[in-house]
Amino acid sequence: MEYSLPDDALSLGFDSSTQSLKATVLDANLNTVASEIVHFDSELPHYSTKDAVYRDPSGNGRIVSPTLMWVEALDLLLGKLVKAKVDFGRIIAVSGSGQQHGSVYWKKGSSATLASLNPKRPLLPQLSDAFATKESPIWMDSSTTVQCREIERAVGGALELSQITGSRAYERFTGPQIRKIFETQTDVYHDTERISLVSSFMASLLIGGYASIDEADASGMNLMDIKQRIWSKMALEATAPGLEEKLGKLAPSHAVAGLMAPYFVERFQFNKRCLVIQWSGDNPNSLAGLTLNTPGDLAISLGTSDTIFGITNEPQPSLEGHVFSNPVDPSCYMVMLCYKNGSLTREDVRNRCADQSWDVFNKLLEEAPPLNGGKLGFYYKEHEILPPLPVGFHRYVIDNFTGNSLDELKEHEVEEFDACSEVRAIIEGQLLSMRAHTERFGMPSPPRRIIATGGASANNCILNAIASIFGCAVYTVQQPDSASLGAALRAAHGWLCNEKGSFVPISSMYENKLEKTSLACKLSMPAGDASKYTMFMKKRVEIENRLVQELGRH
Ligand code: XUL
């Protein structure tokens, strides 16, 4: 069944990312009709941030952003939307995306301040005293290793924490960040009435009260029981005392956080029935913006780091990657894997073997046969996290390789490959690793479809390799604003669920519109034959496991 929005309706999605605050406005046909942006460094220079953050000069890995910069940016961005003549009265729902893991510490008494904002004055002066600390730790912070190990130990180990919360403890995750504040800034912790994520913080501004944390972004905290979608008592106790009260309740991502606060209705002429739908993290919103909606859907974002998102019913949380609650359907899960060695490592091979040219690179890729005559390469120009391996290149040739069963075949290590084998080895190697790790993580095989995005997804030869290795259709979409677009789609979705009084699948909103709208995906390649690659992948996993045992650090 297809659901539509009222003809003249608009939905608004924000993206409060590390560097900027963006807005995307969609009409009832889900076409983008306006978008605006505020860059923090250049447009709010009085915070003196570099890359929108403060890095601790002692090199201890502490990285924070000024909370008030985000408050001021919201006023500024709404002013730009007014200038762009967006008719605020037509906006039926607003949602947003926040950089994941970052946290905000509301001072005792601030809920009253939030509820009584004066629409004649900007937000900033009214909220300048609302926080127990004005510095929000963000995802780039890596200063909480001690707290990570303490939390893992308290719940019985890293794997146990992952099975409860969807991830082992990571420095940037909010639980370890909160524990560090509790341990090192005890006054701040005790003076805090409510802890928000960046996402629920921005939603709180819009509703004039504390918004719940949504279940998808809560999955990036090491605090939520991923199966039951409630705070885990064990994880809470391992993190800090009295924490549950400071976190408030959880809410499904499609739920209504509240009505637009009178402050924004009077100051910007929003409709007073405008709904604020729960904000979520940037990665969950990107999943929504890339139109992933069904178990088996997979997105591969090929950028500086390669990131994979997928939807599954049966996740297998482990010591790598992350399981999140699915932001567009709470009955299943989102999995996310991040590779550090992405485009810079591909470029390194291009520069060494292909005269620094993608055209030459593509020709070489096509000269080498699929399965590369049994040649397998592992290229880590950066210390890799998936698998955990140090910088280094490793090349192997499978002996007596015919492309049929590899079970009995042995391999030997070599120093180098010829240029076309090297080019095919990096591409096949990265993709085989993605296939192996997503399958190990509980993604269906083959995937239902793959949506490729990011710089390298413009390369048809690489798309061809993705289709053959994964054995499914690959679509491309060049959508640089997938997080704010996803937020706008989720705003419309939340509005529809509220209107129908129960959850409706998000795909029912755009199924028949896809080809006509800005979301259109083009089928790029037919599925290839993946069964030979299945054997090749098993061989690769065998070698990878050996490398991790020999060289890896957990
Ligand atoms: C995800 C992560 C980043 C942030 C900022 O775990 O740390 O992607 O969400 O974009």
Side-chain angles (χ1 to χ4, degrees), residues 18 98-101 139 172-173 281-283 322 324 336 338:
T18 316
Q99 53 171 312
Q100 288 203 267
H101 319 298
W139 65 278
R172 66 191 193 283
F173 273 45
D282 54 355
N283 293 300
H322 312 290
F324 295 155
M336 183 172 96
C338 299

Side-chain angles (χ1 to χ4, degrees), residues 119-148:
K120 301 221 158 43
R121 300 174 62 214
L123 286 174
L124 181 70
Q126 304 188 67
L127 290 171
S128 55
D129 200 28
F131 306 104
T133 169
K134 289 186 175 165
E135 296 190 330
S136 285
I138 65 151
W139 65 278
M140 293 162 78
D141 184 284
S142 60
S143 67
T144 63
T145 308
V146 171
Q147 289 75 19
C148 286

Side-chain angles (χ1 to χ4, degrees), residues 532-546:
K532 286 188 176 167
Y533 275 113
T534 305
M535 291 184 290
F536 209 37
M537 177 183 79
K538 286 190 182 142
K539 194 77 194 161
R540 186 185 165 89
V541 168
E542 206 182 289
I543 301 173
E544 182 183 298
N545 289 343
R546 217 169 53 221

Side-chain angles (χ1 to χ4, degrees), residues 272-349:
K272 61 178 189 300
R273 289 195 307 277
C274 174
L275 298 182
V276 179
I277 303 303
Q278 287 289 334
W279 285 45
S280 189
D282 54 355
N283 293 300
N285 277 292
S286 288
L287 174 134
L290 292 170
T291 70
L292 271 61
N293 54 56
T294 304
D297 279 356
L298 195 69
I300 299 185
S301 167
L302 297 166
T304 312
S305 56
D306 291 342
T307 307
I308 325 272
F309 308 132
I311 298 182
T312 182
N313 283 317
E314 292 176 32
Q316 310 285 334
S318 69
L319 292 176
E320 59 201 22
H322 312 290
V323 177
F324 295 155
S325 174
N326 177 353
V328 295
D329 183 353
S331 72
C332 48
Y333 299 87
M334 160 177 178
V335 298
M336 183 172 96
L337 301 176
C338 299
Y339 289 86
K340 265 202 185 163
N341 286 274
S343 59
L344 299 179
T345 308
R346 287 186 285 276
E347 270 164 42
D348 178 66
V349 173

Side-chain angles (χ1 to χ4, degrees), residues 434-482:
M434 289 175 192
R435 186 178 152 194
H437 287 279
T438 50
E439 285 181 15
R440 191 195 284 183
F441 223 58
M443 279 300 294
S445 171
R448 192 174 84 104
R449 57 176 182 156
I450 290 178
I451 297 179
T453 186
S457 68
N459 183 326
N460 278 342
C461 296
I462 294 182
L463 296 179
N464 211 352
I466 298 178
S468 324
I469 288 176
F470 280 85
C472 69
V474 178
Y475 297 71
T476 58
V477 54
Q478 294 312 329
Q479 181 47 266
D481 296 331
S482 56

